[in-house]
Amino acid sequence: MATKKNNFEEELTELQTIVNNLENGDIPLEDALEQFQTGVKLSRNLNKKLTEAEETVAKLIDSDGTEHKLDPNDAAAPEK
């Protein structure tokens, strides 16, 4: 994995490349194991970023700054 902090899209592209490489099976076992480990780390990091983004989106902020969590299962917007 690159030493600089990647954004979500860059990490997702890197993970997709790793998956494609592993699916093709044209790489030595040692390289496959290293790429698999990198892929697991990327997957965990991407999952964490996605969860954080979902939590951010799932908040409603009132005009007074009060935050309310939105229920993703409730299709109706909260009434005031």
Side-chain angles (χ1 to χ4, degrees):
M1 193 160 72
T3 55
K4 71 173 187 146
K5 185 174 181 177
N6 292 328
N7 68 30
F8 186 87
E9 290 78 14
E10 290 171 339
E11 289 182 355
L12 183 58
T13 299
E14 186 177 355
L15 180 58
Q16 290 170 330
T17 300
I18 289 171
V19 169
N20 289 337
N21 289 342
L22 293 174
E23 286 180 342
N24 290 334
D26 296 334
I27 57 176
L29 178 61
E30 293 81 13
D31 292 341
L33 288 173
E34 184 177 322
Q35 286 194 18
F36 178 78
Q37 289 174 337
T38 301
V40 169
K41 290 176 187 175
L42 282 168
S43 177
R44 288 180 180 156
N45 191 38
L46 288 166
N47 188 49
K48 179 182 175 191
K49 286 181 180 183
L50 187 57
T51 299
E52 289 170 356
E54 288 172 342
E55 289 172 357
T56 299
V57 170
K59 291 180 183 175
L60 173 69
I61 301 176
D62 290 337
S63 59
D64 66 357
T66 305
E67 290 184 359
H68 302 279
K69 284 209 173 237
L70 296 177
D71 182 357
N73 299 318
D74 184 11
E79 294 184 20
K80 299 280 174 190

